[in-house]
C-alpha cells in the first residue's frame, strides 16, 4: 500500500445554478502522474482550484497529508508541500530567471522577511536556485530577464519557480498550453525529469494532448459536466472507445499504439 | 556596486551644493532632502509594492507634528528623540490603518488611504489643543546630538548643522532602502505586485509582506516630515491635505517609479521645475499638469528612465 497524499471527498462546487463539480472523489498516492482530461467546461480548472484551496467546495472536502486544505491559505499550503501552476504562464516580467526562482527558495527557508541582506548574497538559497535551474536546463539563463525568454522557457521558469518549494505534490493546469506541438514533448520530458530530480512525489496535470498522456501519465481521470466519468490507467483508458468518445471525441490513432 | 557609485555621485553633489549655491538656495535643498526621505519610503509601497496610496501625506504630517509637539509643547528639543517619537507614532498609525487598507488593492486601496488621510486632516483642524488647529504649531529649533546651536541665526543653523544632519539622515535612510529593495523581502514585495496569486502559491504571505512595506513607508514619511517641519519652522494641517499626497505621487513618477533613485531625482527636478515655472508663468499648475501627462505617455520610467536610455544610447 503506497502512501496517500491527497484525498478529494465528494467535492461539489456550484456557480449560481451551474454545477461545476458534482460529488467528485478520488485519492492520489505517492508516485502517480495523474492526467485530468475532459471537454471544455468539464470542471478541470475548477477541480485544480479546489484541490489547491483557492476555491472552497460547497460540499465535500480536500485533505492533503490527512489534513483539510480549506482555510489554510495558498502560501501555507505551498510551504506544506502542495504547489501548483496556472493555465496562463505567470512570470514576473522584470525579474531575472534567478530572482524568479529564488522567491520560493527564500519562502521555503523562512527568509521572506529578511530585510537587510541583498538576496544575491544569500549563498544557501542561491545554490538551491542553481540546482533547480539546472534540473530544468536553465542554468545558462539565470541572468536573463523573464520577459526576454521564449514561450517554452517561460513555462519552464514558471514551473521551476514552484518546484523550488520542493513540493510533495504538484498541480499543473495545462502545462503545455500555448506551446507548439513540436516543443510539447520536450517541455513535458524536461518537466517530469526535473520534478523527479527535485523529489516531487506526485503530479496532477490537466492536459489535452492525448499523445503526451499516453506517454507520460500513470493514471487518467476523466471529467464531464462536473462528474467523474473515468479513473483508470492510461492503457485501459485508450482501450475503451466509449470513454474516449465521451471525453475526447476523437483520438489520434498513434496514441493507441 | 553601481548603486554605491551612483549614490556617491549624488552625495558629492549634495556636499558641494551649499558651497556652490550659497545660503538662500541651500535652505531650499533641505525640503528636497526631506521629501527624498519620505518618498523613498512611499516608493517602496507604490513603486515596488504596486500599491498607490493617496493618503501618505498623513504620515508626513505625523512626523512634522511629532517634532512640533515634542519641541513646542513638551519641551523635548533633542531631534533624535523627536525622530524616534515620529517613527513610533507613524508606525503605530500605519500598523492600524494598514490592517484595513491592505485588505484591498488597486483603486479601492487608494480610496481607503485617501479617506484616512482626509479624516486625519480634519482631526488636525478640530483637536485644537493638541494640534493648534488651522494655524498649526511652530517648531522651535531642535538640538542635534545634544548641541543646541543657540548662538546661531536661524539661517545659519539651517544651512549649517541642520543641512548636514538632514543629508546624513537621507544617506542612512537611502542606504537602508537600497538593502531592503534588494533583499528577499524586496523580491517578495515586487513578486506580489506582478502577480499576487502566483506569489502566494510560492509560499509568500503577500498580505504580511505588504503590511510590513506599508508600515516602513509610513515611518520613512514621518522622518521626512520631521525634517520638513524644522526646515519650514512649522507643522500645519496643509501638510496632510490630499493635494500633498498627490504631489508626492507626482514627484515619484517624475523621478522614476519603482527605481531606487527615483525619489531623489524626482524631488530635485520637481523643486527646480516648480521654482522655474512659478517665476515665469502664473499658469504654472497647468504647465506641471502638462509635464506629468507627457512623462506618463512618453517616459513612463520618469526622468531616471530617460537618463538610463540616454546612457545606453551613447554606449552603442
Amino acid at each position: 500500500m503506497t502512501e496517500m497524499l491527497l484525498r478529494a471527498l465528494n467535492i461539489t462546487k456550484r456557480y449560481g445554478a451551474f454545477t461545476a463539480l458534482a460529488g467528485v472523489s478520488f485519492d492520489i498516492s505517492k508516485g502517480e502522474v495523474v492526467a485530468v482530461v475532459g471537454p471544455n467546461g468539464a470542471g478541470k480548472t475548477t477541480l485544480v482550484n479546489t484541490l489547491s484551496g483557492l476555491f472552497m467546495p460547497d460540499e465535500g472536502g480536500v485533505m492533503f497529508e490527512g489534513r483539510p486544505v480549506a482555510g489554510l491559505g495558498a502560501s501555507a499550503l505551498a510551504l506544506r508541500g502542495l504547489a501548483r501552476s496556472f493555465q496562463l504562464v505567470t512570470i514576473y516580467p522584470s525579474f531575472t530567471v534567478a530572482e524568479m526562482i529564488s522567491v520560493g527558495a527564500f519562502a521555503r527557508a523562512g527568509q521572506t522577511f529578511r530585510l537587510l541582506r541583498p538576496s544575491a548574497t544569500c549563498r544557501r538559497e542561491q545554490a538551491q536556485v542553481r540546482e533547480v535551474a539546472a534540473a530544468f536546463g536553465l542554468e545558462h539563463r539565470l541572468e536573463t530577464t523573464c520577459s526576454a525568454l521564449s514561450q517554452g522557457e517561460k513555462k519552464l521558469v514558471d514551473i521551476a519557480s514552484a518546484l523550488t518549494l520542493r513540493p510533495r505534490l504538484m498541480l499543473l493546469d495545462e502545462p503545455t498550453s500555448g506551446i507548439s506541438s513540436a516543443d510539447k514533448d520536450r517541455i513535458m520530458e524536461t518537466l517530469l525529469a526535473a520534478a523527479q530530480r527535485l523529489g516531487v512525489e506526485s503530479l496532477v496535470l490537466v492536459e489535452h494532448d492525448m499523445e503526451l498522456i499516453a506517454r507520460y501519465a500513470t493514471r487518467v481521470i476523466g471529467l464531464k459536466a462536473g462528474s467523474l466519468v473515468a479513473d483508470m490507467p492510461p492503457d485501459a483508458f485508450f482501450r475503451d472507445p466509449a470513454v474516449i468518445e465521451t471525453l475526447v471525441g476523437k483520438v489520434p490513432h498513434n496514441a493507441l499504439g | 556596486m553601481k548603486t554605491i557609485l551612483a549614490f556617491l555621485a549624488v552625495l558629492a553633489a549634495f556636499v558641494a551644493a551649499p558651497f556652490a549655491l550659497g545660503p538662500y538656495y541651500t535652505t531650499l535643498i533641505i525640503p528636497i532632502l526631506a521629501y527624498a526621505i519620505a518618498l523613498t519610503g512611499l516608493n517602496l509601497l507604490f513603486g515596488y509594492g504596486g500599491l498607490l496610496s493617496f493618503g501618505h501625506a498623513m504620515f508626513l504630517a505625523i512626523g512634522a507634528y511629532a517634532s512640533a509637539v515634542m519641541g513646542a509643547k513638551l519641551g523635548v528639543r533633542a531631534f533624535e528623540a523627536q525622530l524616534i517619537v515620529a517613527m513610533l507614532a507613524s508606525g503605530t498609525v500605519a500598523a492600524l490603518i494598514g490592517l484595513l487598507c491592505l485588505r484591498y488593492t488597486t483603486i479601492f486601496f487608494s480610496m481607503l488611504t485617501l479617506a484616512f488621510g482626509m479624516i486625519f486632516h480634519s482631526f488636525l483642524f478640530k483637536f485644537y489643543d493638541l494640534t493648534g488647529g488651522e494655524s498649526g504649531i511652530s517648531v522651535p529649533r531642535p538640538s542635534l546630538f545634544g548641541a543646541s546651536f543657540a548662538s546661531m541665526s536661524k539661517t545659519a543653523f539651517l544651512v549649517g548643522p541642520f543641512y548636514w544632519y538632514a543629508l546624513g539622515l537621507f544617506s542612512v535612510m537611502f542606504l537602508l532602502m537600497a538593502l531592503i529593495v534588494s533583499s528577499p523581502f524586496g523580491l517578495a514585495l515586487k513578486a506580489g505586485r506582478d502577480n499576487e496569486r502566483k506569489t502566494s502559491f510560492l509560499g509568500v504571505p503577500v498580505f504580511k509582506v505588504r503590511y510590513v512595506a506599508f508600515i516602513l513607508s509610513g515611518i520613512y514619511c514621518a522622518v521626512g516630515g520631521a525634517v520638513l517641519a524644522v526646515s519650514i519652522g512649522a507643522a500645519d494641517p496643509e501638510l496632510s491635505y490630499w493635494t500633498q499626497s498627490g504631489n508626492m505621487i507626482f514627484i515619484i513618477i517624475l523621478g522614476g517609479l519603482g527605481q531606487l533613485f527615483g525619489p531623489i531625482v524626482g524631488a530635485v527636478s520637481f523643486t527646480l521645475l516648480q521654482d522655474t515655472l512659478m517665476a515665469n508663468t502664473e499658469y504654472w499648475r497647468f504647465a506641471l499638469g502638462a509635464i506629468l501627462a507627457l512623462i506618463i505617455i512618453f517616459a513612463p520610467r520618469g526622468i531616471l528612465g530617460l537618463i538610463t536610455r540616454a546612457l545606453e544610447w551613447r554606449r552603442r
Side-chain angles (χ1 to χ4, degrees), chain B residues 127-152:
Chain B
F127 286 76
Y128 187 88
D129 289 342
L130 182 66
T131 64
E134 197 178 349
S135 47
I137 311 172
S138 66
V139 176
R141 183 185 303 178
S143 68
L144 307 175
F145 298 122
S148 65
F149 305 102
S151 61
M152 282 186 170

Side-chain angles (χ1 to χ4, degrees), chain B residues 18-302:
Chain B
F19 302 104
L21 298 175
Y24 171 71
Y25 284 104
T26 306
T27 55
L28 294 184
I29 302 176
I30 299 170
I32 292 181
L33 289 170
Y35 276 107
I37 294 170
L39 298 179
T40 297
L42 182 56
N43 193 33
L44 179 73
L45 185 70
F46 177 30
Y48 293 90
L51 293 161
L52 172 55
S53 165
F54 276 121
H56 262 55
M58 166 172 44
F59 299 112
L60 199 70
I62 289 175
Y65 275 90
S67 172
V69 170
M70 290 280 284
K73 308 227 161 186
L74 305 175
V76 180
R77 295 291 178 91
F79 194 55
E80 294 75 30
Q82 297 180 3
L83 282 176
I84 289 169
V85 170
M87 291 195 275
L88 286 175
S90 187
T92 308
V93 173
L96 289 173
I97 70 169
L99 279 179
L100 287 165
C101 295
L102 288 167
R103 298 165 73 95
Y104 304 89
T105 54
T106 62
I107 190 69
F108 304 103
F109 171 80
S110 306
M111 288 302 111
L112 259 185
T113 50
L114 176 67
F116 278 108
M118 308 267 271
I119 291 169
F120 187 75
H121 182 244
S122 57
F123 165 83
L124 290 179
F125 266 95
K126 301 287 180 239
F127 286 76
Y128 187 88
D129 289 342
L130 182 66
T131 64
E134 197 178 349
S135 47
I137 311 172
S138 66
V139 176
R141 183 185 303 178
S143 68
L144 307 175
F145 298 122
S148 65
F149 305 102
S151 61
M152 282 186 170
S153 74
K154 187 176 181 227
T155 309
F157 169 74
L158 285 180
V159 303
F162 194 70
Y163 179 84
W164 300 112
Y165 196 96
L167 184 57
L169 207 52
F170 166 73
S171 303
V172 170
M173 302 292 275
F174 177 89
L175 292 173
L176 281 176
M177 188 56 74
L179 285 175
I180 292 171
V181 298
S182 66
S183 71
F185 172 81
L187 271 185
L189 183 66
K190 282 191 281 179
R193 171 196 67 192
D194 288 355
N195 192 321
E196 179 173 352
R197 212 161 61 164
K198 165 77 178 173
T199 306
S200 54
F201 274 104
L202 292 182
V204 174
V206 176
F207 177 89
K208 280 190 203 159
V209 168
R210 288 175 173 165
Y211 188 54
V212 171
F214 191 84
I215 294 171
L216 285 172
S217 70
I219 290 174
Y220 267 74
C221 283
V223 172
V227 173
L228 195 62
V230 173
S231 80
I232 55 186
D236 81 272
E238 288 317 295
L239 273 177
S240 77
Y241 200 50
W242 65 273
T243 51
Q244 177 79 9
S245 293
N247 265 351
M248 291 163 78
I249 291 158
F250 179 103
I251 297 171
I252 290 182
I253 293 173
L254 183 72
L257 180 63
Q259 298 164 82
L260 191 55
F261 287 91
I264 184 73
V265 170
V268 172
S269 322
F270 181 79
T271 309
L272 290 175
L273 199 63
Q274 198 181 25
D275 248 34
T276 319
L277 290 173
M278 281 171 90
N280 290 300
T281 167
E282 56 181 306
Y283 300 114
W284 62 274
R285 283 178 196 279
F286 174 83
L288 270 185
I291 288 168
L292 178 63
L294 288 174
I295 289 271
I296 288 173
I297 295 166
F298 295 108
R301 289 175 58 77

Side-chain angles (χ1 to χ4, degrees), chain A residues 2-21:
Chain A
T2 48
E3 189 188 348
M4 185 177 68
L5 284 180
L6 187 88
R7 163 164 282 179
L9 199 65
N10 196 28
I11 48 180
T12 298
K13 177 76 189 166
R14 298 185 196 92
Y15 303 110
F18 177 72
T19 302
L21 291 174

Side-chain angles (χ1 to χ4, degrees), chain A residues 7 15 17 29 50 58 63 65-66 68 70 72 98 100 105 131 137 148 156 158-159 165 186 189 199 218 227 231 257:
Chain A
R7 163 164 282 179
Y15 303 110
S29 305
T50 310
D58 295 304
M63 313 272 273
E65 293 177 329
L72 200 59
M100 172 107 199
E131 191 187 343
L156 288 179
D158 184 2
I159 293 165
L165 292 166
R186 189 177 55 82
E189 204 154 304
T218 62
S227 297
D231 185 353

